[in-house]
Amino acid sequence: MKAIQIDRFVTDLANISPKNVPSPKPQSPKALHIEITHAAITHVDLLYVQGLHQNNKRHVQPPFILGTEFSGIVTSAPPTSSLTPGTRVFGGGLGSFAEEICVDEAHVRRVPAQWTNAEACAVGASGAVSYGALVGVAQLKTGETVLVLGASGGLGVMAVQIAKALGARVVAVVGDAEKGEMVRGIGADAVVDYHDEGWEDKVRSFTLGKRGVEVVYDAIGAVESGLRSLKYRGRLVIVGFAARGGNMENVRANRILLKSAMVHGYRFGEDGRHDPQRTKDVWDGFMNLVDSGKIQPVIYKEEYRGLEAVPEALEDAKNHKAWGRAILRIDENAEKELQQHRAKL
Ligand SMILES: NC(=O)c1ccc[n+]([C@@H]2O[C@H](COP(=O)([O-])OP(=O)(O)OC[C@H]3O[C@@H](n4cnc5c(N)ncnc54)[C@H](OP(=O)(O)O)[C@@H]3O)[C@@H](O)[C@H]2O)c1
């Protein structure tokens, strides 16, 4: 099969290209074999290819196949699985920039009937990550105000919609007017541009008595700014560091004490390894919102066709061009053929 295999970390994204590698083999009795139709371009991929992610210190070392989120069609499954061959699925798994992947059943979900594979891929595992952070960790409630840092990104667009579905008010922080318009379109009540000096004051101006937001969802690594925007005794959940280029922020601990703030990290994959049931509950909670029609996939407008487009797509992500999820179309024909076949039955 063709795949983007990383034999050594790269600094110049133009140095990556697809090559022929052996097809993956199931590594456990619960593994599915899946033909990939679409893969998402995420911030994690951008870090993995350069060796800048914390996982590159141990778990993700060359050689490995790049890509972490995908959608596709099951081609073989264990006899006990409800995801029989022909089922459309989406989810997460290292090795998504490839024509085939093997992952355990727990890492994927059925594509909802109302979504194409491209749409499901745009949601990927990001919806579950944001749901776990906002509901499981920050315990966001109806009527509260949440600040979403990194609102225009793949995780952020999910966080905005989940917060609205919970009945919260959303202040979204983005990098330009086009992204501002996009997040308003998916429900953000107020938008702030992070290029504006003192943007944290602007965030507070949207809250009662300028006291600050009850919850901060931080996907960019701006904890001190988050604390400045937070109400006394507020909750801040750290989800990612998209603004830090691999260099972590040194947070002055007194800022946490002065606000009596609760600061909590959330690492979705690791959480699932510690407590698979908790992650299953997170997925179920998120899929309930999907089934009630409260979540819409947000696909970036550029088209990226085939594994050959990976360098360009990663470059666009690096240059802050993309918003929502940029989707790589690996084999759209497979999805179309399946739908035509079903229509004939
Ligand atoms: N905790 C977990 O389990 C988990 C799971 C998956 C991913 N993550 C992490 O979550 C983070 C977000 O991932 P993603 O896939 O949503 O990334 P993404 O789609 O690439 O989005 C990145 C977001 O960060 C914003 N951003 C980048 N630089 C910024 C800056 N200097 N100041 C303010 N905002 C900035 C971008 O806004 P502009 O484009 O406007 O600059 C964009 O909204 C990453 O760090 C990723 O590693 C965590």
Side-chain angles (χ1 to χ4, degrees), residues 304-322:
Y304 301 102
R305 295 203 173 266
L307 291 165
E308 292 74 12
V310 167
E312 182 198 351
L314 286 173
E315 197 66 51
D316 285 353
K318 191 175 178 184
N319 295 330
H320 300 232
K321 263 180 82 179

Side-chain angles (χ1 to χ4, degrees), residues 291-308:
D291 292 342
S292 60
K294 293 188 171 145
I295 304 293
Q296 70 181 75
V298 181
I299 299 182
Y300 179 52
K301 60 187 178 188
E302 288 297 324
E303 296 240 314
Y304 301 102
R305 295 203 173 266
L307 291 165
E308 292 74 12

Side-chain angles (χ1 to χ4, degrees), residues 150-318:
S152 63
L155 254 60
V157 294
M158 289 295 118
V160 169
Q161 297 183 75
I162 292 163
K164 289 308 294 175
L166 295 171
R169 280 182 73 235
V170 174
V171 182
V173 174
V174 299
D176 64 37
E178 185 186 4
K179 291 169 187 165
E181 210 172 295
M182 185 274 293
V183 291
R184 275 189 203 281
I186 55 168
D189 299 280
V191 176
V192 174
D193 189 322
Y194 64 75
H195 295 104
D196 293 348
E197 194 147 339
W199 58 262
E200 299 90 341
D201 295 335
K202 205 162 169 201
V203 171
R204 291 165 66 93
S205 74
F206 292 120
T207 63
L208 193 66
K210 297 188 184 172
R211 283 199 283 267
V213 298
E214 280 85 9
V215 169
V216 174
Y217 168 101
D218 181 8
I220 63 170
V223 173
E224 287 223 358
S225 287
L227 286 168
R228 275 210 290 276
S229 315
L230 196 65
K231 188 175 177 176
Y232 184 76
R233 273 190 161 261
R235 292 103 69 198
L236 185 151
V237 55
I238 303 172
V239 184
F241 306 102
R244 307 222 67 88
N247 300 314
M248 292 303 121
E249 179 182 16
N250 286 318
V251 178
R252 285 166 290 185
N254 64 321
R255 305 284 155 141
I256 301 172
L257 181 144
L258 290 170
K259 282 268 170 92
S260 293
M262 255 190 279
V263 177
H264 202 311
Y266 181 58
R267 191 174 169 205
F268 180 76
E270 190 63 17
D271 216 49
R273 286 185 279 279
H274 281 266
D275 188 345
Q277 183 57 45
R278 191 161 53 212
T279 297
K280 184 182 175 304
D281 293 345
V282 163
W283 264 110
D284 290 349
F286 174 66
M287 291 309 288
N288 281 341
L289 293 186
V290 170
D291 292 342
S292 60
K294 293 188 171 145
I295 304 293
Q296 70 181 75
V298 181
I299 299 182
Y300 179 52
K301 60 187 178 188
E302 288 297 324
E303 296 240 314
Y304 301 102
R305 295 203 173 266
L307 291 165
E308 292 74 12
V310 167
E312 182 198 351
L314 286 173
E315 197 66 51
D316 285 353
K318 191 175 178 184

